[in-house]
Amino acid sequence: MREEAARLQKDALWRTLDDRTVAPGPAMVNLSSNDYLGFAQHPEVMLALTDAVERYGAGGAASRLLSGPLPAHEEAEDVLAGLVRCERALLFASGYAANAGIIPALASEGDVIFSDALNHASIIDGCRLSRAQVLRYQHRDLDHLEALLKSQRGRFQNAWIITEAVFSMDGDAPDLRALSALATHWGAWLYVDEAHALGVVGPEGRGLCAADGITPELLVGTLGKAFGLAGAFAAGSDAVISLLVNRARSFVYSTAVLPGLAGAVPRVTEMVRAADAARSRLRAHVATVHAGIATRSALSLPAAAIVPIPMGTPERAIAVSKALQDRGFETRAIRPPTVPKGTSRLRCVPTAAHSSNDLRKFVHHLTQVLA
Ligand SMILES: *Cc1c(COP(=O)(O)O)cnc(C)c1O
C-alpha cells in the first residue's frame, strides 16, 4: 500500500482531503463546487430541511421494501416526476448509488450498452455490474455511435444508449435529439444522467431533456448539485420504475433516504423552478469566465456551468491551482484517472451565489498566473 501511495505521489496524482494551501474562509471564492444555484447554504433550503426533519424524524430505519410506505418519499417522488415530466420517480441515496444500481437492473447478459467515452464513473461501474456488453463510443460522436449500432445492434437482445446531459469534467452536452432519433431508429432505449443540467438548463431548470423536448426511457437526476441537498432520483415510466423497485440493488438493499431529506424536496423543487434570476446570473458568470479564457483555449461556450481550463500535465494543474489559492480562489486540479492522461485541467464552476466582481477578479488573477 505504501509503495502504491509513493508511486501516485511521484506522478503528482496523490489526493488528500486537506489539499489546500490556504484554509477556506469567507475571503476565499470557491469555484470548485457543484452548488450551481448557491442552495447548499441558502437559508430557505436549510429551513426546508430542518422543518422536514421536525415533521418526519431522523432516520430511514430500513429499506423501503421493509419499512412500508413513507409519505415524505412518495410526495418527493411525485414532485420530481412532475419536474421532469415522467410518469414516476424513485429516490436513491446518491447519484452514484442510482447509476450503479439502475443500470444492472435494466441490462444484463445478452444486452448491449452504448456508452459515451466520457460518462461518469458511476455509469461505468453500473455498466460493469450489469454484465451486458459495453461498447464505448467516442465522446459525443454520433457517427461513431451510428457505425457501432449498425454493425453491433443485431447481435444483442436489448440495447441502451447512455449519456450525460452535461459532462461533468468537460462541461459540454450531447445532441440529445439526434441521440433520441438514433435510439428510436435502431431499437435502443435512451438513458440520460442530468446531474449537471437539472436546475441549471431548460425551462424552470427542468434539464436538457426538457429543453430539447425529448423523453428518455430513463432519466437520472441528482439532488446534491443544483438542489443543494444530497441524494438522487430515477424517473421514467411506471413500468420501468416498478422494475427498479424490484431489482435495483442499491435501492432494495439500502436504508431509505433520510425522511427529512425527502420531506424537503417539494419546497426545494419549487425554489429550483422559480430560480430563473439565479440561472441568468449563473449564465452571465459562465460567459465572463469563458470570455476570459477564450484566447487560451478553443473551448466552446459551456452547456451549463462547468468551465474546464486545460492544463495538460497534473504538475501544471496543481501549480496553477495553488497559485490561485494563494490569491483567494479555490479551483481544483482535475487529474487522471478522473480525466484521460495529458488532459489535466482546472475545473472552474461559478455559482449564482458569486458576484460578477468575484468572476472578473478571478479572470484577472487567472490571466496573471498563466502568464
Ligand atoms: C455527481 C455525479 C453523479 C453522482 O451523484 P452523487 O449524488 O454526488 O453521488 C452521478 N452522475 C454524474 C454525471 C455526476 O456528475
Side-chain angles (χ1 to χ4, degrees), residues 94-96 99 120 122 164 168 193 195-196 222 225 231:
S94 73
Y96 183 90
N99 284 323
H120 191 260
S122 56
E164 295 184 33
S168 55
D193 182 337
H196 299 280
T222 55
K225 288 162 183 163

Side-chain angles (χ1 to χ4, degrees), residues 34 36 92-99 118-123 163-169 193-196 220-225 230-232 306 347:
N34 295 314
Y36 300 120
F92 284 80
S94 73
Y96 183 90
N99 284 323
L118 293 190
N119 275 344
H120 191 260
S122 56
I123 295 175
T163 184
E164 295 184 33
V166 170
F167 286 87
S168 55
M169 295 300 145
D193 182 337
E194 292 261 21
H196 299 280
V220 169
T222 55
L223 305 174
K225 288 162 183 163
I306 301 158
R347 181 176 179 273

